[in-house]
Amino acid sequence: MPQLDAVVRDIAEEMSRRDDRGEVATYIPQLAHVDPGQFGLAVAAADGSIACAGHSDTPFSIQSISKVFTLTLALGVAGDQLWKRVGREPSGNAFNSIVQLELEQGVPRNPFINAGALAVTDVILSGHPPREALGEILRFIRFAAQDDSIHIDEHVARSEKATGFRNVALANFMKSFGVLQNPVDYVLGTYFHHCAIAMSCRQLALAGRFLAHSGRNPDTNCSMISPERARRINALMLTCGHYDGSGEFAYRVGLPGKSGVGGGILAVAPSHASIAVWAPGLDPTGNSHLGRIALEKLARKMKWSIFGE
Ligand code: GLN
């Protein structure tokens, strides 16, 4: 097996030289300022080592990657009852699409499209004021990463709140079907803030370890969720984690993964590693362009694809 450190270093070096970098998201004004020349990669391996290269300690906006952690929390709150509020099928549509919602009575296709994540946030809010729910989400991520310095970027949260008309529309539409139980403003405020959590690749790779190791943090040996739940979250990441680019990601990379419009991807190589990559430029499906290419190379070189060598 090739040396992980060397593979990670080589990939980061190759990615920093490429000039096909995709386009940074501009619909959230604060994200439009991010330099697309950056690239970071961190791989937290099963033996407790972590291989990092490039801008792996630069915090970036995790955006929809936060939906993996909110899904984990909501399953803890509601268990399988969650699946009455949101489905488990790929949508085949863009992350912020509204078209299916009317046909399917306001029940979103899966927890990773925006509509589904709003339903998940609504479940976490049940019985809590938004500030407490947000505190719970942040505490969970800090605990998973074993890092209390992880924080919310208030500029990004405000920027999205000021321009998130489509999410406002989605939430109101779902509310009209009775799918959201809390006030729309509470759901949106909590959602915008958890999307605005800033993390580096190193922190994100550490936070994802429980998904690579049957729900356990291999460092502390602490069980965060059951093996069955970890397996199922991975299945959803594989089938829905890249929206209408999920098939292409499975075909090329072969790992469960969740992307965000900040250009990050959290990928899971079961039993091997938790991987975080960040390259701010996106492809037309809103997924990191170089992030996907880097993961494709890493999975091939390490023979980590879940579909075989
Ligand atoms: N906060 C972003 C939004 O709601 C998240 C989208 C994403 O990362 N794909 O539009």
Side-chain angles (χ1 to χ4, degrees):
M1 191 58 65
Q3 194 62 41
L4 179 61
D5 271 319
V7 170
V8 166
R9 217 179 320 113
D10 288 353
I11 291 173
E13 210 205 303
E14 186 188 335
M15 294 302 124
S16 68
R17 276 190 274 109
R18 285 178 74 133
D19 28 63
D20 58 321
R21 306 200 75 84
E23 302 287 331
V24 296
T26 52
Y27 77 99
I28 300 175
Q30 200 68 21
L31 297 183
H33 306 315
V34 178
D35 171 9
Q38 301 174 92
F39 177 88
L41 178 60
V43 183
D47 64 4
S49 66
I50 177 155
C52 294
H55 299 93
S56 54
D57 285 311
T58 306
F60 61 90
S61 192
I62 67 167
Q63 292 295 319
S64 287
I65 302 170
S66 61
K67 296 171 184 173
V68 173
F69 302 103
T70 52
L71 171 64
T72 307
L73 275 176
L75 282 168
V77 172
D80 280 345
Q81 296 294 316
L82 181 71
W83 305 120
K84 293 195 171 137
R85 311 274 299 274
V86 59
R88 300 193 294 262
E89 294 296 339
S91 71
N93 285 317
F95 64 88
N96 54 6
S97 172
I98 201 166
V99 291
Q100 266 162 356
L101 270 183
E102 181 164 25
L103 298 171
E104 298 178 4
Q105 280 72 51
V107 178
R109 272 287 170 105
N110 68 66
F112 293 148
I113 52 173
N114 287 11
L118 289 164
V120 165
T121 301
D122 186 59
V123 168
I124 297 174
L125 266 170
S126 315
H128 301 285
R131 187 166 291 278
E132 262 177 34
L134 201 54
E136 196 184 335
I137 296 166
L138 196 56
R139 266 196 305 282
F140 179 70
I141 293 179
R142 286 174 169 173
F143 178 66
Q146 297 281 296
D147 187 336
D148 281 344
S149 72
I150 294 165
H151 64 281
I152 294 170
D153 184 331
E154 286 292 339
H155 297 290
V156 174
R158 267 200 295 276
S159 182
E160 189 168 358
K161 186 160 188 250
T163 57
F165 304 111
R166 195 177 270 258
N167 285 320
V168 174
L170 286 169
N172 279 293
F173 202 51
M174 288 161 68
K175 184 78 177 172
S176 77
F177 280 105
V179 173
L180 297 183
Q181 290 169 0
N182 294 279
V184 165
D185 283 356
Y186 285 16
V187 177
L188 285 167
T190 309
Y191 172 82
F192 291 144
H193 280 81
H194 74 63
C195 286
I197 291 172
M199 291 169 84
S200 67
C201 288
R202 183 192 298 271
Q203 290 168 326
L204 188 57
L206 290 172
R209 283 173 302 181
F210 70 100
L211 293 169
H213 302 288
S214 306
R216 260 183 330 98
N217 176 332
D219 264 3
T220 58
N221 213 21
C222 162
S223 168
M224 298 188 53
I225 52 172
S226 69
E228 182 185 54
R229 193 159 282 168
R231 191 176 73 237
R232 289 178 158 169
I233 294 170
N234 283 328
L236 288 162
M237 288 170 75
L238 182 80
T239 52
C240 311
H242 282 71
Y243 318 109
D244 46 340
S246 298
E248 184 71 4
F249 188 83
Y251 179 82
R252 293 193 174 276
V253 180
L255 296 174
K258 181 73 207 83
S259 69
V261 288
I265 302 175
L266 172 64
V268 177
S271 308
H272 295 299
S274 164
I275 307 156
V277 65
W278 173 53
L282 308 178
D283 67 17
T285 54
N287 300 306
S288 176
H289 173 67
L290 288 180
R292 198 264 292 146
I293 293 172
L295 288 171
E296 184 176 354
K297 289 177 186 291
L298 179 70
R300 189 184 306 132
K301 288 195 176 141
M302 300 308 295
K303 303 190 194 307
W304 280 346
S305 165
I306 61 169
F307 301 111
E309 296 184 14

